[in-house]
């Protein structure tokens, strides 16, 4: 369960290059996420939500600024903590690999279905790999700042397809950004989120 705070990056700001540049990290983590954290902290101050976890706020807040900013704090914490320096032929292993194969057929089929969800999401939002109440893996899309916990799912891996996530590095080429992102996923971190 997460407090309203900046996640500490487990890598250097240039570690994800060339997939995600230092400049993008400086804006996306340093400016966008900092702003969501600051805004959420000020919105819940002196309310009954002040001592709730970010996950609880996302699950229960009515549509509006608190929900939007809490969703983005949760989304970006999961996002920035799930990456590592680029690795070729970067694949999951163990229980996560088995669950992906069971749900989607193969890792290649999963990547194709996830990329399809990410590229067809209209406007700003996120694509997610989550675990449902039965433990099965599912791919879902969330508009704007929502998160799978809103629907009772356990989010494992999310890709930000707001333009601020990739425009400095890939401009309008969202599909190319998604294809490149597979090299930087820390599948051990993703697997650690399985329940
Ligand atoms: Mn973002």
């Amino acid at each position: 369960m997460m407090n309203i705070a900046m996640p500490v990056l487990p890598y250097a700001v240039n570690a994800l290059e060339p997939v995600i540049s230092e400049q993008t990290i400086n804006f996306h983590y340093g400016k966008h996420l900092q702003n969501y954290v600051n805004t959420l902290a000020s919105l819940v101050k002196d309310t009954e939500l002040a001592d709730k976890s970010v996950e609880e706020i996302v699950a229960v807040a009515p549509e509006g600024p608190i929900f939007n900013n809490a969703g983005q704090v949760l989304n970006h914490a999961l996002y920035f903590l799930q990456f590592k320096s680029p690795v070729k032929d970067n694949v999951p292993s163990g229980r996560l690999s088995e669950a992906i194969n069971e749900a989607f057929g193969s890792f290649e089929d999963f990547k194709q279905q996830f990329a399809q969800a990410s590229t067809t999401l209209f406007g700003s939002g996120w694509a997610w790999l989550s675990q449902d109440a039965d433990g099965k893996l599912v791919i879902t899309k969330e508009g704007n700042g929502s998160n799978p916990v809103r629907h009772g799912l356990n989010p494992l891996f999310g890709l930000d397809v707001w333009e601020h996530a990739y425009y400095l590095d890939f401009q309008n080429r969202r599909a190319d950004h998604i294809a490149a992102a597979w090299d930087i996923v820390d599948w051990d971190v993703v697997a650690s989120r399985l329940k």
Side-chain angles (χ1 to χ4, degrees):
M1 287 291 183
M2 189 182 298
N3 296 321
I4 302 172
M6 288 292 282
V8 177
L9 292 182
Y11 43 76
V13 289
N14 65 353
L16 307 182
E17 294 189 343
V19 180
I20 297 175
S21 66
E22 178 175 351
Q23 188 185 24
T24 290
I25 293 287
N26 286 338
F27 279 100
H28 194 191
Y29 172 83
K31 304 291 185 187
H32 289 274
L33 176 53
Q34 185 72 64
N35 187 50
Y36 295 130
V37 169
N38 293 349
T39 303
L40 180 62
S42 79
L43 286 169
V44 301
K45 191 170 186 289
D46 303 325
T47 75
E48 61 187 10
L49 295 173
D51 58 355
K52 298 272 192 254
S53 72
V54 177
E55 290 93 335
E56 288 173 304
I57 297 172
V58 175
V60 304
E63 298 276 331
I66 290 178
F67 169 67
N68 291 337
N69 283 279
Q72 286 291 67
V73 170
L74 178 57
N75 289 338
H76 288 89
L78 292 165
Y79 177 82
F80 284 113
L81 295 176
Q82 72 190 359
F83 293 134
K84 64 181 180 182
S85 291
V87 175
K88 285 293 166 200
D89 303 317
N90 183 33
V91 297
S93 61
R95 187 177 153 220
L96 177 61
S97 173
E98 289 165 18
I100 285 173
N101 292 342
E102 189 181 319
F104 308 108
S106 69
F107 182 57
E108 287 305 314
D109 288 322
F110 158 70
K111 287 199 294 184
Q112 190 177 10
Q113 291 176 43
F114 194 93
Q116 173 76 8
S118 305
T119 50
T120 58
L121 194 154
F122 188 79
S124 294
W126 293 74
W128 288 96
L129 173 68
S130 298
Q131 203 176 18
D132 70 15
D134 299 324
K136 188 173 183 293
L137 301 193
V138 293
I139 295 169
T140 58
K141 303 187 221 187
E142 296 286 345
N144 298 313
S146 188
N147 181 280
V149 300
R150 190 75 166 172
H151 317 291
L153 298 170
N154 173 34
L156 304 176
F157 166 73
L159 266 194
D160 188 345
V161 293
W162 287 54
E163 287 184 344
H164 68 221
Y166 60 87
Y167 216 83
L168 292 172
D169 303 321
F170 288 86
Q171 296 78 50
N172 61 313
R173 294 174 288 116
R174 184 191 284 191
D176 291 350
H177 166 68
I178 294 159
W182 298 119
D183 289 350
I184 58 168
V185 180
D186 190 332
W187 289 111
D188 291 338
V189 170
V190 177
S192 75
R193 296 170 178 168
L194 285 166
K195 284 181 179 163

